[in-house]
Amino acid sequence: MRGIFGLLFIAALAVAAALLMGDNPATVTLFWPPWRVDVSFNLVVIALVVGFVVVYGALRGVALLRELPRRASRWRALQQERATVGLLLQAWGYQLGGRFVRAQKAAREAMARLRSTDRDALPYTDAMWVLAHLTAAESAHQLSQREQRDAWLAAAIDPTRSQGAPEAREGALLRAAEWALDARDADAAARWLAELPQGAARRIQAVRLRLRLAQLRRDNRAALDMARLLAKHRAFSADAVRTVLRGLWTEALRDVRDEEGLEAVWRNQQGDERRDPARALALLAHAQRMRGQGQLAPEGPLPRAVDEAIRVAWAGYDTLSASERLRAVGLVEPWLPRLDAAWLPRLEEAQRRLPADVGLQYLAGQAYRARGLWGKAQTLLQQVAPRLDEPELRRRCWCALAELAEERGDEAAARDAWKRAAQG
């Protein structure tokens, strides 16, 4: 297309020249006393055009001659950049292939070239400087050369050389934090992560490292916050999120030693987490252990966290498997004497709704017994005792029947019940 327009322009010039010069009698008179020269107008026009072309060509030639040193310097810089990039690619290839000594050698050669190159001559000198030192440091880390690794890492994150490549410097800081976590050095990892700018600290990789740091420090609350942030950024699948969050919450629960800590761990849950029956059962199990160790009062008002956990477990009772239901019954039963009076109608309604559920029948019988309704309790417990598959619940059931028999003075029934409890 450009060639066609060029031909049209030349044709237009030819037409204009033919119209102007074809039959043009005009002359140009030049006076230079005492001489006078008459020149054809066409010749003057041709001379001016030729003169313009000659002068323009001369000026362009002078400009090109003056540009030659700068272009030569630029060419040498580009050759240096090409060689340095080639060495960096070679170093990365060796490192990925597990040839760490050769990777170090290639990285050193790249560093030597960068030292001999003017920083202002190339646009990516700082980035290549950081990447060359980071590659060498990574290879030294794999070869357990800790001092050499730290020296190269310090050169990589030096602000005077990395200011032109902030992203590469942030990558070096993240890698240093990961090395510290691999060595289980929590203080060093925290120091490297603290050097990250605010924007980089919110990236997924940084949050993952903060999660590992919190786990290393056994800071379960911070670990939960980091895991939730990763879930928000969709760094995990839905199943992985539930597994990770539940595992971290369970670890936090294991460290609880008083009622305030139990309340704090329960309140630390968010959204659907506080409606998870599995978590409620885990809290009830830990509260039962704390009660046995004297860390929770055996009497008095029911701890708020335990009360809410019982409500959550009860609300999700229908979603549990048969074995989980029996476990839930066993965990709720020790707290029956401390539950409010509204729970007995709930148990009765659930028992009528699920008459074949032996766990509910056992729990209702124990609730009757806790409130002094011994007749109803004995009837239900006698019906359910032979049908309980859980050994611990069966033993508790026979123990309760033995105590009820002793209360009414039936020594023979009490001995038989105690014997069955021992056998169970």
Side-chain angles (χ1 to χ4, degrees):
M1 182 63 70
R2 294 175 62 182
I4 294 175
F5 281 113
L7 291 175
L8 292 175
F9 178 72
I10 293 173
L13 286 179
V15 171
L19 292 175
L20 181 65
M21 301 178 181
D23 186 17
N24 187 3
T27 60
V28 176
T29 302
L30 300 177
F31 292 95
W32 188 271
W35 296 283
R36 169 184 172 180
V37 179
D38 293 326
V39 183
S40 171
F41 178 78
N42 294 344
L43 180 62
V44 171
V45 171
I46 293 173
L48 289 175
V49 171
V50 171
F52 173 79
V53 171
V54 171
V55 172
Y56 177 78
L59 292 176
R60 288 291 299 170
V62 172
L64 288 175
L65 288 174
R66 296 182 62 183
E67 183 74 10
L68 281 178
R70 193 183 70 84
R71 293 181 67 179
S73 176
R74 176 66 177 171
W75 182 85
R76 287 192 295 269
L78 289 175
Q79 292 297 108
Q80 188 82 341
E81 180 186 26
R82 180 178 296 178
T84 305
V85 170
L87 288 170
L88 282 176
L89 292 175
Q90 191 178 41
W92 290 339
Y94 283 140
Q95 181 176 309
L96 293 174
R99 309 180 76 171
F100 303 118
V101 175
R102 294 195 177 188
Q104 283 188 7
K105 182 180 178 181
R108 284 196 184 98
E109 292 180 9
M111 295 175 204
R113 287 185 174 274
L114 288 170
R115 291 190 189 96
S116 62
T117 303
D118 185 8
R119 290 179 61 185
D120 298 331
L122 298 176
Y124 301 111
T125 304
D126 290 346
M128 289 189 290
W129 173 271
V130 175
L131 293 176
H133 284 79
L134 183 59
T135 303
E138 179 69 35
S139 299
H141 175 74
Q142 298 297 334
L143 295 172
S144 299
Q145 299 172 350
R146 301 289 185 258
E147 294 181 1
Q148 189 65 55
R149 180 201 69 185
D150 294 341
W152 277 325
L153 179 62
I157 63 176
D158 183 7
T160 60
R161 289 304 303 257
S162 61
Q163 60 183 355
E167 294 82 5
R169 183 176 185 274
E170 292 162 6
L173 292 173
L174 290 172
R175 199 71 187 98
E178 190 169 355
W179 292 337
L181 289 172
D182 292 340
R184 303 190 68 79
D185 188 348
D187 295 335
R191 186 172 64 254
W192 292 123
L193 290 173
E195 291 191 30
L196 289 171
Q198 185 176 4
R202 294 195 297 266
R203 294 172 188 160
I204 290 179
Q205 180 63 15
V207 177
R208 287 181 188 273
L209 295 177
R210 292 184 185 278
L211 172 59
R212 290 180 57 187
L213 177 61
Q215 290 177 311
L216 181 60
R217 287 178 165 178
R218 299 189 65 82
D219 187 354
N220 295 306
R221 180 168 296 183
L224 278 170
D225 292 338
M226 293 299 104
R228 291 190 180 109
L229 186 56
L230 286 173
K232 181 180 178 181
H233 290 301
R234 298 182 179 179
F236 301 136
S237 64
D239 293 337
V241 166
R242 286 192 292 269
T243 302
V244 171
L245 291 178
R246 185 178 296 176
L248 290 172
W249 184 81
T250 304
E251 290 181 8
L253 185 63
R254 291 196 190 102
D255 296 335
V256 172
R257 295 293 180 269
D258 53 27
E259 184 175 341
E260 290 75 12
L262 197 68
E263 176 73 16
V265 168
W266 180 257
R267 293 294 179 189
N268 194 33
Q269 300 180 103
Q270 297 179 0
D272 293 338
E273 296 174 6
R274 296 182 66 177
R275 295 186 290 273
D276 185 0
R279 294 193 180 208
L281 295 180
L283 185 135
L284 291 175
H286 187 73
Q288 186 62 22
R289 288 192 293 270
M290 292 174 62
R291 183 183 180 187
Q293 297 170 1
Q295 297 169 342
L296 285 181
E299 298 179 355
L302 192 66
R304 183 180 301 176
V306 174
D307 182 63
E308 292 186 9
I310 291 175
R311 294 177 184 275
V312 171
W314 183 258
Y317 184 82
D318 293 342
T319 65
L320 300 176
S321 63
S323 59
E324 289 175 336
R325 290 183 178 185
L326 290 177
R327 179 170 177 261
V329 167
L331 292 173
V332 171
E333 184 260 325
W335 304 98
L336 286 175
R338 300 168 68 176
L339 292 175
D340 56 35
W343 275 98
L344 189 57
R346 294 175 188 166
L347 288 172
E348 291 175 339
E349 191 277 331
Q351 184 193 357
R352 288 192 297 268
R353 183 167 50 86
L354 299 172
D357 193 320
V358 293
L360 288 178
Q361 190 173 354
Y362 166 81
L363 195 61
Q366 292 286 25
Y368 287 139
R369 174 173 166 267
R371 283 161 177 74
L373 303 174
W374 294 341
K376 291 185 176 182
Q378 182 178 353
T379 302
L380 286 176
L381 294 177
Q382 283 180 342
Q383 293 175 359
V384 78
R387 298 159 52 200
L388 282 171
D389 295 330
E390 176 64 31
E392 176 62 21
L393 293 183
R394 187 166 58 248
R395 184 190 65 81
R396 292 185 196 176
C397 187
W398 284 115
C399 288
L401 287 172
E403 293 175 1
L404 290 173
E406 289 178 351
E407 290 290 341
R408 68 176 184 271
D410 191 345
E411 297 295 334
R415 285 195 302 270
D416 181 66
W418 285 119
K419 180 179 179 181
R420 290 177 179 271
Q423 291 173 347

